[in-house]
Amino acid sequence: MSGSPATRLRLLGILFWMAGGIVITFAWMGMAELAYVDGQMPYLVSGGAAGLALVLVGSTLILSAAISQAAEHTAQRTAALLKLAADEAADAFEAERKSSESALKDAEAEEKTEAKAA
């Protein structure tokens, strides 16, 4: 199987759903052949419980896939926001540095002008 883990989990969950449906269907077919309740109970208990368990496992896998995909999306979005914040901080730092250099040059030029005037 290829693809992301979420895709594999989702596919596996669907397979469990299908297997559960098949088990429940066979249990129903076996139960439908018998006219007395005492004979139907083993089909109901074993087939129904096993089918329900498979469906629940499939549902859990699909839910895990959705949570995994949401977590991956959140991590990517957080990384992008952190990179954006770091870029903006670097730009602000560079602008502040240039502003400080400019102010220092202006102060030096003013000192030279005052020294020449005196």
Side-chain angles (χ1 to χ4, degrees):
M1 286 197 280
S2 64
S4 70
T7 304
R8 288 183 288 221
L9 281 175
R10 192 173 291 118
L11 178 62
L12 191 59
I14 290 171
L15 291 175
F16 269 91
W17 273 355
M18 291 171 46
I22 290 170
V23 168
I24 290 171
T25 301
F26 279 127
W28 181 268
M29 288 171 36
M31 189 175 76
E33 292 176 0
L34 301 174
Y36 55 99
V37 176
D38 290 341
Q40 293 176 344
M41 288 308 287
Y43 287 102
L44 179 65
V45 172
S46 62
L52 182 61
L54 288 170
V55 169
L56 288 174
V57 169
S59 297
T60 302
L61 290 172
I62 289 177
L63 183 62
S64 296
I67 290 171
S68 172
Q69 189 174 17
E72 183 179 328
H73 177 71
T74 301
Q76 289 174 350
R77 180 71 177 143
T78 301
L81 288 173
L82 286 173
K83 184 179 181 330
L84 181 63
D87 291 345
E88 287 181 7
D91 291 345
F93 178 76
E94 186 65 27
E96 182 66 29
R97 187 183 63 80
K98 287 181 181 180
S99 175
S100 297
E101 287 177 359
S102 175
L104 183 60
K105 287 180 184 177
D106 290 344
E108 288 175 356
E110 190 175 309
E111 283 179 12
K112 287 181 183 178
T113 309
E114 286 177 5
K116 286 182 184 179

